[in-house]
Amino acid sequence: MARIVVKFGGTSVASVERIRQAARHVKREVDAGHEVIVVVSAMSGKTNELVGWVNEASPMHDAREYDAVVASGEQVTAGLMAIVLSEMGIQSRSFSGWQVPIRTDGAHGAARITEIDPTELNKRLEDGWVPVITGFQGISPNGRVTTLGRGGSDTSAVAVAAAVKADRCDIYTDVDGVYTTDPRIVPKAQRLTRISFEEMLEMASLGAKVLMIRSVEMAMAYKVPLLVRSSFDDPDAPQVAPDGTPGVPGTLVCDEDEIVEKQIVSGVTLAKAEAKITLRDVKDNPGVAAAIFGTLADQGIIVDMIVQNIADDGATTDITFTVPDSEYDKAVKTLQNAGDRIEYARLSGSKGGAKVSVVGVGMRSHAGVASSMFKALADKGINIQLITTSEIKTSVLIDEQYAELAVRALHTYYGLDKKDA
């Protein structure tokens, strides 16, 4: 018998019929003898509708009331899920975040979880109940409902799993696992049986949208295995792992030590709409980088890739970095208005770049991955504009028109097209 937290995203609970399908997945686990907690998102599109109503009521609204309104979406889903489970003969009741309680800080609209008291949940589990908890929300130190912001339901589920010491956290979504790359770009993309927390973090930060970064960070910190699987699968079908053997479907995100065969490259990611900005002949004084990027940060502009080249005389440097296309004009204007805080000769830049990355924990112990990546791109006539690396990742900036060609070339080059990749 295992203790499992299962989370259903908005598309998985988009209607009462979809909720019934999700509930059948819960029933399968209960019938197998497992203790189950359910965490739900709002029905697909409902949160955006609620946000629209708040903005229509007042563009300058109170953030506390914003949370009170937006949090109602998950309450509807939790209540409906508990009703459906009860109809199936499973003892169930809904819990709002504040009833658990899931305690957060007071940053309304973007709160962070500080503590979860598992006492009530543990009691319910021991008595054979299935608690259904609203994701995305908690309670502030002042007793007000808070929401957790983007990816909040995934984060709620992982935090609950950590609090009740669950054996794993199943994230049900509209895809059946984590793939080596986007199957819409590479039809031969393969579903991974396992992937490490670190690889998943890199892939999530580089454009893969299967899991939100905050939830993976929390799962890694508390060693909570995550299982990504589809709620659209038949709940009564035989449970078969991606490699075709009997087992749990989907992709298990786990500690690196639990992966026996580590691939050199586990995945290829793509992030489009990347803009490049270069500051030429920047005075190479202490604190110049802090001044540049601090000025951008003050305006809420997110900087990604950064490359610095120091001139032979050591007096000046060129600094190149990327920002989202949507932030390009704002970033240029911010730097031009920085005045004497940042001394540089000229600014140049362009939109329409794409960041292509290869990720894999096996890169730690294999030399030459970066050089082979560059060769594979050169063979396709693709020019590289910027390069950044980490221990398990190499990223390049290229023209967006070559982005999908680059992904396909690298996916094939590293043997990820094959079933046993």
Side-chain angles (χ1 to χ4, degrees), residues 47-70 108-110 144 147:
T47 299
N48 288 339
E49 182 182 30
L50 293 168
V51 171
W53 289 349
V54 171
N55 290 330
E56 184 181 345
S58 172
M60 301 299 290
H61 49 260
D62 186 327
R64 295 167 297 185
E65 302 305 341
Y66 168 96
D67 278 356
V69 173
V70 175
H108 286 274
R144 296 296 300 262
T147 62

Side-chain angles (χ1 to χ4, degrees), residues 160-172:
V160 168
V164 301
K165 296 181 171 53
D167 295 285
R168 71 170 195 264
C169 179
D170 294 358
I171 306 292
Y172 282 85

Side-chain angles (χ1 to χ4, degrees), residues 14-345:
S15 65
V16 173
E17 190 54 42
R18 293 294 317 143
I19 291 172
R20 282 201 178 93
Q21 170 86 348
R24 290 171 60 207
H25 284 286
V26 176
K27 187 176 186 302
R28 183 193 61 242
E29 303 296 351
V30 172
D31 290 346
H34 302 313
E35 295 179 337
V36 182
I37 294 175
V38 180
V39 176
V40 293
S41 298
M43 291 177 166
S44 183
K46 182 56 66 176
T47 299
N48 288 339
E49 182 182 30
L50 293 168
V51 171
W53 289 349
V54 171
N55 290 330
E56 184 181 345
S58 172
M60 301 299 290
H61 49 260
D62 186 327
R64 295 167 297 185
E65 302 305 341
Y66 168 96
D67 278 356
V69 173
V70 175
S72 66
E74 284 73 20
Q75 293 175 42
V76 171
T77 314
L80 291 172
M81 176 64 78
I83 289 170
V84 171
L85 287 172
S86 297
E87 184 186 40
M88 291 179 173
I90 298 170
Q91 292 186 104
S92 179
R93 65 149 287 186
S94 63
F95 286 85
S96 293
W98 64 268
Q99 292 175 305
V100 173
I102 298 175
R103 304 190 190 281
T104 73
D105 60 21
H108 286 274
R112 302 191 75 84
I113 296 171
T114 57
E115 179 189 15
I116 296 179
D117 183 348
T119 306
E120 178 66 17
L121 296 177
N122 285 332
K123 182 179 183 303
R124 294 285 178 172
L125 290 174
E126 290 163 5
D127 291 343
W129 286 69
V130 173
V132 182
I133 303 171
T134 55
F136 179 63
Q137 60 194 255
I139 184 168
S140 74
N142 294 328
R144 296 296 300 262
V145 171
T146 55
T147 62
L148 308 183
R150 187 171 170 81
S153 290
D154 282 359
T155 305
S156 298
V158 175
V160 168
V164 301
K165 296 181 171 53
D167 295 285
R168 71 170 195 264
C169 179
D170 294 358
I171 306 292
Y172 282 85
T173 181
D174 53 3
V175 296
D176 60 356
V178 181
Y179 280 73
T180 49
T181 195
D182 189 338
R184 293 170 297 182
I185 298 174
V186 183
K188 291 182 179 179
Q190 301 297 315
R191 181 159 44 113
L192 296 164
T193 302
R194 294 183 177 223
I195 186 171
S196 72
F197 290 124
E198 287 182 272
E199 289 171 316
M200 193 67 247
L201 267 178
E202 289 284 13
M203 291 178 72
S205 67
L206 295 168
K209 297 178 175 61
V210 178
L211 288 173
M212 298 304 297
I213 295 173
R214 285 173 65 189
S215 63
V216 182
E217 287 175 337
M218 184 171 288
M220 184 175 176
Y222 291 96
K223 303 294 185 186
V224 177
L226 299 177
L227 183 71
V228 181
R229 59 183 301 180
S230 174
S231 64
F232 291 82
D233 289 343
D234 182 0
D236 300 321
Q239 300 292 283
V240 180
D243 60 5
T245 61
V248 181
T251 300
L252 184 68
V253 186
C254 57
D255 195 82
E256 184 182 337
D257 293 341
E258 297 179 49
I259 302 175
V260 178
E261 292 292 334
K262 298 179 178 65
Q263 299 295 322
I264 298 174
V265 171
S266 295
V268 181
T269 65
L270 169 62
K272 293 184 177 181
E274 295 276 325
K276 179 177 66 173
I277 297 174
T278 299
L279 297 178
R280 304 284 185 185
D281 299 330
V282 180
K283 293 291 185 182
D284 191 24
N285 298 323
V288 66
I292 293 170
F293 298 113
T295 299
L296 294 170
D298 289 343
Q299 296 300 312
I301 298 169
I302 298 173
V303 175
D304 187 8
M305 306 171 79
I306 302 173
V307 175
Q308 180 176 2
N309 295 310
I310 300 175
D312 291 339
D313 60 8
T316 61
T317 181
D318 292 344
I319 297 178
T320 302
F321 56 91
T322 62
V323 297
D325 272 1
S326 59
E327 299 278 15
Y328 174 78
D329 295 333
K330 181 180 178 182
V332 169
K333 186 175 180 180
T334 297
L335 293 170
Q336 289 173 340
N337 293 339
D340 57 5
R341 285 181 294 162
I342 306 171
E343 295 184 58
Y344 60 90

